[in-house]
Amino acid sequence: MITRMVSLLGGLGAGVGLSQFPAYAQAYLQRLGGHVDALRRTVAEFDADAAALGLERQAALVQLAQGGEMGAQRAETMAATIDRYARLSSDLHELAAMAPVERALHLGRFAETEIASATLSAFEPAVPVSLDAMLLAGVGALLGGGLLWAVLRGLRRVFARRARRHDRLA
């Protein structure tokens, strides 16, 4: 009886938690879009400066790196900014094309630490009224309840064996 109750409560908790994912994913996408827009402007400005000097992006980075310690550091920073822009743009494009439930299967795309922590700190749980949220709530309830049931049942068997051994020895 206790196993069923704990499993039910665990399932409900997991269901409620997982039902919040579509709203969190939407908030993450909005923040991700803001970061991509800001990075796009920075990269476009760098490309425009390079083009004004008749340089391609890579040639401009090489030339910048040859400009002393500050130039070398700035070239590394700009190269990292360009790489981040490419990665985040790809994530935004891929995630925006997915259905909300499908996004839950691609959690690795939500791994940008800065964006994820800012999203989580500002996130306020919502009542899951969308079909996707209710579907994820059901999946979470089944997975959470099933996992807890299996763990508790296994523990129950272990303790029952110990009790039987103890009874035989006594």
Side-chain angles (χ1 to χ4, degrees):
M1 183 67 173
I2 291 176
T3 302
R4 286 183 188 162
M5 182 61 79
V6 171
S7 296
L8 179 64
L9 290 175
L12 287 173
V16 168
L18 198 51
S19 75
Q20 297 303 306
F21 183 77
Y24 173 82
Q26 185 62 38
Y28 183 92
L29 282 173
Q30 290 169 351
R31 282 188 180 269
L32 180 61
H35 280 266
V36 168
D37 289 344
L39 289 168
R40 181 182 300 120
R41 283 190 300 276
T42 301
V43 171
E45 288 169 0
F46 182 80
D47 288 345
D49 290 344
L53 297 171
L55 299 171
E56 296 289 326
R57 180 186 293 168
Q58 200 56 40
L61 285 170
V62 169
Q63 193 177 85
L64 182 60
Q66 295 169 348
E69 283 184 43
M70 178 62 187
Q73 182 62 46
R74 188 66 187 133
E76 282 183 36
T77 301
M78 194 62 216
T81 298
I82 292 167
D83 289 345
R84 185 169 188 242
Y85 168 64
R87 184 173 35 81
L88 293 182
S89 292
S90 173
D91 285 349
L92 179 61
H93 177 72
E94 293 289 323
L95 289 170
M98 293 178 192
V101 172
E102 187 181 7
R103 290 178 188 147
L105 301 174
H106 296 274
L107 293 177
R109 293 264 186 189
F110 292 88
E112 176 65 30
T113 308
E114 178 186 340
I115 298 171
S117 68
T119 303
L120 193 56
S121 69
F123 182 71
E124 293 182 19
V127 176
V129 293
S130 71
L131 180 60
D132 296 314
M134 287 189 269
L135 177 64
L136 286 170
V139 169
L142 290 174
L143 290 175
L147 180 64
L148 277 172
W149 179 82
V151 168
L152 291 173
R153 185 167 178 149
L155 288 173
R156 192 171 168 189
R157 285 184 180 179
V158 168
F159 287 120
R161 283 186 197 144
R162 284 188 183 172
R164 283 193 298 268
R165 278 191 214 144
H166 184 279
D167 289 344
R168 277 187 255 151
L169 296 174

